[in-house]
Amino acid sequence: MTSKYTADWFAQQAGEKYLKGFLAYHEKHIRKIHDLSVLLDACIAVDPDFESLQKAAAFLNQFYVESRYPDDYIEFQHTDAEKTSDAAIRIKEFVLKKIGSQNLNQKGFINIALVILVVILAGAAGYLTLIKKSPQPTPIPSPMPTPSPLPTPTPNPTPAPTPIPTTSVYPSWIKKLITEEESDRVANPPASLTQFEYKNQTVYYLPSRCCDIPSILYDENGNVICSPDGGFTGRGDGKCSDFFKTRQNGKVIWKDTR
């Protein structure tokens, strides 16, 4: 990924984090997506004034690399880096104005602001490096000796998969949750829903799908109890830090087999 595209990508990430930060501040459910237009719609549902950010969100959306691999990008111009920076700053200033400077010390939001600051600084550094750095010659690789062929290992028989219980015996909210997960992109590892006994109640654990997305622990009525892990720190929201040590009787009730 080139430095100028790195700057564009970091600007998109900054805009995404600010919109998610606004939703987190208002204790709204954050979908496991990186589409700024969809996140902005969720913000508009909380505050209609967010409609003024539609143009900035749509412009930043084109710089997100879905697979996050270095070769999966298209070429952009230097002017794009300046425009993406302006769009990200517009979203940042709008969100901070809505939150209010007197509330920036609220638990959780200040952590999001620190992460976004690091993203913006890293993007700016990448952009400046592109301007100052002259092109380097491509090194010619030394010829590698032809390796001797390795013996083909005898494959072990694949064990039969453990049957997963049918979800027809579970509450309707679980069926709805599974439908939403199956309509989303395939996660790696595949998404799943596991039933446990935790603090004398039946709970359902949905692991994190990706990067900064937290996991979710539901009670038997579909209410969110906490996030045991995942998120920006990888440790969830800290409300049920003993979950992995005290949970019992785990049973996978659904797994994405796509």
Side-chain angles (χ1 to χ4, degrees):
M1 183 180 294
T2 63
S3 297
K4 61 184 176 183
Y5 186 76
T6 301
D8 297 331
W9 185 84
F10 275 123
Q12 186 277 341
Q13 288 287 286
E16 175 188 329
K17 298 304 181 294
Y18 270 104
L19 294 180
K20 287 183 177 179
F22 177 80
L23 294 173
Y25 178 79
H26 287 279
E27 299 182 351
K28 300 297 181 180
H29 175 67
I30 302 175
R31 293 184 61 186
K32 309 173 188 68
I33 58 174
H34 303 278
D35 190 324
L36 268 64
S37 296
V38 177
L39 292 172
L40 185 61
D41 287 341
C43 293
I44 291 173
V46 178
D47 187 338
D49 289 348
F50 271 78
E51 289 186 1
S52 64
L53 296 180
Q54 287 182 341
K55 185 176 180 180
F59 178 71
L60 288 175
N61 241 4
Q62 62 184 313
F63 299 99
Y64 173 66
V65 181
E66 182 172 338
S67 68
R68 299 194 177 190
Y69 283 95
D71 292 335
D72 190 6
Y73 70 95
I74 58 178
E75 191 70 23
F76 294 95
Q77 305 301 318
H78 292 284
T79 54
D80 290 324
E82 298 173 357
K83 292 179 181 178
T84 53
S85 176
D86 291 341
I89 290 173
R90 171 167 169 71
I91 292 176
K92 179 201 74 171
E93 293 177 346
F94 187 90
V95 171
L96 294 182
K97 182 179 179 180
K98 286 294 180 180
I99 296 299
S101 59
Q102 68 274 19
N103 293 322
L104 286 181
N105 60 348
Q106 291 290 332
K107 182 179 180 180
F109 192 81
I110 192 169
N111 292 331
I112 295 173
L114 289 175
V115 171
I116 295 170
L117 178 60
V118 172
V119 169
I120 293 175
L121 291 176
Y127 178 65
L128 292 175
T129 300
L130 175 69
I131 295 175
K132 297 180 179 179
K133 186 176 180 181
S134 58
Q136 297 295 323
T138 303
I140 300 175
S142 301
M144 298 295 293
T146 303
S148 301
L150 298 176
T152 303
T154 303
N156 294 323
T158 303
T162 302
I164 297 176
T166 176
T167 58
S168 61
V169 298
Y170 293 96
S172 59
W173 71 265
I174 288 183
K175 299 176 185 177
K176 181 179 179 181
L177 177 63
I178 291 174
T179 299
E180 291 177 354
E181 289 294 321
E182 290 179 340
S183 66
D184 206 342
R185 293 188 294 269
V186 178
N188 186 16
S192 62
L193 188 65
T194 306
Q195 176 182 300
F196 290 100
E197 297 299 320
Y198 173 63
K199 292 187 176 180
N200 299 320
Q201 64 176 323
T202 299
V203 298
Y204 299 89
Y205 172 66
L206 183 68
S208 169
R209 290 177 64 93
C210 168
C211 47
D212 56 1
I213 304 297
S215 63
I216 303 177
L217 188 67
Y218 298 93
D219 66 14
E220 60 186 355
N221 296 317
N223 299 312
V224 176
I225 300 175
C226 63
S227 295
D229 60 347
F232 294 114
T233 65
R235 296 190 293 272
D237 57 11
K239 295 180 180 179
C240 51
S241 57
D242 63 340
F243 171 69
F244 294 105
K245 293 182 180 179
T246 60
R247 65 184 183 181
Q248 295 179 337
N249 303 326
K251 179 172 64 175
V252 177
I253 66 171
W254 170 79
K255 187 172 183 179
D256 193 345
T257 58
R258 290 179 293 172

